[in-house]
Amino acid sequence: MAVVSKKTPVPDLVPVKTALLSVSDKTGVIDLAQALSDAGVRLLSTGGTHKAIAAAGLPVTDVSDVTGFPEIMDGRVKTLHPNVHGGLLAIRDDAEHAAAMAEHGIEGIDLAVINLYPFEEVRAQGGDYPTTVENIDIGGPAMIRASAKNHAYVVVLTDPSDYRGLLEELSSNGGATRYGYRQRMAAKAYGRTAAYDATISNWLCETLAIETPDYRAIGGALKERMRYGENPHQSAAFYVTGEGRPGVATAEFLQGKQLSYNNINDTDAAYELVAEFLPQNGPACAIIKHANPCGVATGATLVDAYMRALSCDAVSAFGGIVALNQTLDAATATEIVKLFTEVIIAPDVDEEARAIIASKPNLRLLKAGGLPDARAAGLTAKTVSGGLLVQSRDNLVVEDLQLKVVTKRAPTPTELEDMKFAFKIAKHVKSNAVIYAKDGRSVGIGAGQMSRVDSARIAAMKAEDAARAMGLEAPLTHGSAVASEAFYPFADGLLAAIAAGATAVIQPGGSMRDEEVIAAADEHGVAMVFTGVRHFRH
């Protein structure tokens, strides 16, 4: 493979004499054009941008006058021309390039202000296939990439938020830009086109049901720079993909300190869990600590659901995340502020509740505007050394599963409801996961243990602690249903749950020793159902 090398010295300061403006998002573009024109910069533009600048009374040349060719094919072809790309790509100090420019009448373009057709917005709004395709920009990315490649001589802007910085750069350097500035803008430009193309590729794969494309790109736009990452010595930032799924990425931030890396991770986990409980079926609350639930409950009212969730493990709930499936009201807000809480997220917040939360100015309050759909398809990703693990979202819900009674005793209707409740939670608990539930609330949660027996014992121990805190003599696990997110490889995990007082068990089944496990359940008169679905979470 040939390696092309140009050793022309790179200039530091490059004057901006000609600027090309072609933007879909016209925020601030007239003010920018006015400032550039006042500084003596020649303006070139296309289509709607040209009309807007001309309507503002500014001198501007239509790109079709530069190319000698009109826009054709509904604007699909307008800037794909040597007079444009030669002006962006020419190495000004290279004799051969300069000769080519002179021979073909190509004038240099020193500044390209380009933003792209709103593909991400059209996709998020559910545009039909032809409309979405028409919002795939071609000329824009081509010009951005050309300008960014030639950043030795050309500065490229892809974001209206950078307009002020450009004007400050020109003002500080006598109408020129510095090489380091042009480098930074080029880096941002390539990130923008990469994220844009990633969204298009993923939409096509989703539309065509291509589950494992040969190349998988995932891109995002910076939402927030963070003080640090998971630990203070790690840097971090929050990027959003543009997916319209309600949650921490799309929520309105109503008050509180800046969200941390861990806050965002935990808030996402909390809201995805509480979304398993449809608001029309009643209030629900999930309290999360370190990405695992320490209490989940339904209730007659939202405050009842919160108090029932808190009672599962009030010690661990200190400094946790509270997620609600209905509008946060005053009664619930009053109880939440009694305990140190990091974040509250709910579909909505009423004004009285907001005033109560305001008494805790550091408490973060998020209004998500809706609940994520637990059944919706989507992708999740995790980095590993040298790679990226991508999978479809775990969007199976227990109401859609075919439950199979495998023991001599069938569960009672109450036990069955508690089984389903516990299995919903198990889907969101780090493996190995064991959850005891009774009367629509968690009473013991064991998470992230290497042994399923240990998870069962830890969950039972927490239930005993909660019972003592409530002044009860009997452990809360007596008469409970227990859920395991994966099968019991041996009967010992089941026996540990039975010893804690569980009378009904829900698990995927599928172990080589299923018969042994079923026999142990029958021996103790315990009802057990198989779901046929595993919910590992690592």
Side-chain angles (χ1 to χ4, degrees), residues 28-44:
V29 74
I30 300 303
D31 290 341
L32 175 64
Q34 180 73 66
L36 292 172
S37 183
D38 291 345
V41 176
R42 180 191 179 203
L43 303 181
L44 310 178

Side-chain angles (χ1 to χ4, degrees), residues 28-380:
V29 74
I30 300 303
D31 290 341
L32 175 64
Q34 180 73 66
L36 292 172
S37 183
D38 291 345
V41 176
R42 180 191 179 203
L43 303 181
L44 310 178
S45 193
T46 62
T49 311
H50 175 270
K51 290 179 182 178
I53 295 173
L58 300 174
V60 58
T61 300
D62 196 301
V63 164
S64 62
D65 294 331
V66 174
T67 64
F69 209 90
E71 292 186 17
I72 61 173
M73 301 177 183
D74 297 320
R76 282 190 172 201
V77 179
K78 53 190 173 186
T79 59
L80 299 171
H81 193 279
N83 284 359
V84 173
H85 285 271
L88 294 172
L89 283 165
I91 299 174
R92 314 302 162 77
D93 299 320
D94 182 280
E96 292 181 7
H97 286 211
M101 292 176 75
E103 179 181 356
H104 299 288
I106 298 173
E107 298 183 14
I109 300 172
D110 314 301
L111 166 64
V113 180
I114 316 290
N115 60 57
L116 305 175
Y117 291 173
F119 177 87
E120 294 102 332
E121 290 85 348
V122 172
R123 180 203 180 194
Q125 292 166 6
D128 60 35
Y129 192 91
T131 301
T132 308
V133 167
E134 281 307 310
N135 279 277
I136 297 175
D137 204 331
I138 301 300
M143 290 189 291
I144 290 172
R145 290 176 59 81
S147 305
K149 176 174 181 175
N150 202 27
H151 61 265
Y153 301 92
V154 181
V155 59
V156 56
L157 302 188
T158 58
D159 188 337
S161 68
D162 291 323
Y163 295 171
R164 176 178 292 182
L166 169 72
L167 296 177
E168 292 173 352
E169 176 76 8
L170 294 174
S171 176
S172 300
N173 297 289
T177 61
R178 294 164 299 158
Y179 181 56
Y181 174 78
R182 297 193 298 276
Q183 285 180 304
R184 292 194 299 276
M185 292 299 101
K188 180 170 182 175
Y190 279 119
R192 176 67 187 106
T193 57
Y196 191 77
D197 285 343
T199 305
I200 295 168
S201 172
N202 288 326
W203 170 72
L204 282 168
C205 289
E206 176 186 315
T207 302
L208 302 174
I210 301 172
E211 294 184 349
T212 54
D214 291 340
Y215 295 90
R216 173 69 78 184
I218 295 176
L222 179 66
K223 182 178 178 71
E224 187 175 4
R225 291 182 178 87
M226 298 178 169
R227 289 192 299 133
Y228 56 82
E230 202 163 10
N231 297 291
H233 63 277
Q234 295 172 270
S235 60
F238 185 27
Y239 293 85
V240 293
T241 63
E243 182 184 12
R245 188 173 179 83
V248 65
T250 58
E252 181 183 355
F253 189 89
L254 298 181
Q255 73 154 61
K257 296 191 298 182
Q258 179 188 24
L259 287 163
S260 71
Y261 180 100
N262 293 330
N263 289 154
I264 290 172
N265 189 55
D266 289 352
T267 303
D268 178 69
Y271 210 51
E272 289 290 331
L273 170 50
V274 85
E276 297 282 344
F277 302 92
L278 297 176
Q280 58 265 36
N281 293 337
C285 173
I287 305 174
I288 296 286
K289 188 74 169 289
H290 298 166
N292 277 308
C294 45
V296 184
T298 56
T301 63
L302 198 63
V303 67
D304 181 41
Y306 168 73
M307 297 303 294
R308 283 159 57 84
L310 180 63
S311 69
C312 180
D313 189 353
V315 173
S316 296
F318 182 87
I321 312 293
V322 174
L324 306 165
N325 74 337
Q326 294 183 356
T327 299
L328 175 62
D329 56 21
T332 311
T334 298
E335 290 300 327
I336 292 174
V337 297
K338 293 179 180 179
L339 182 73
F340 171 58
T341 300
E342 290 278 6
V343 182
I344 305 170
I345 183 169
D348 203 354
V349 182
D350 71 28
E351 289 303 316
E352 193 174 356
R354 190 167 177 177
I356 292 167
I357 301 299
S359 67
K360 301 288 184 179
N362 290 334
L363 173 55
R364 296 113 169 149
L365 179 61
L366 303 181
K367 184 175 83 170
L371 281 174
D373 181 357
R375 291 180 170 89
L379 296 176
T380 64

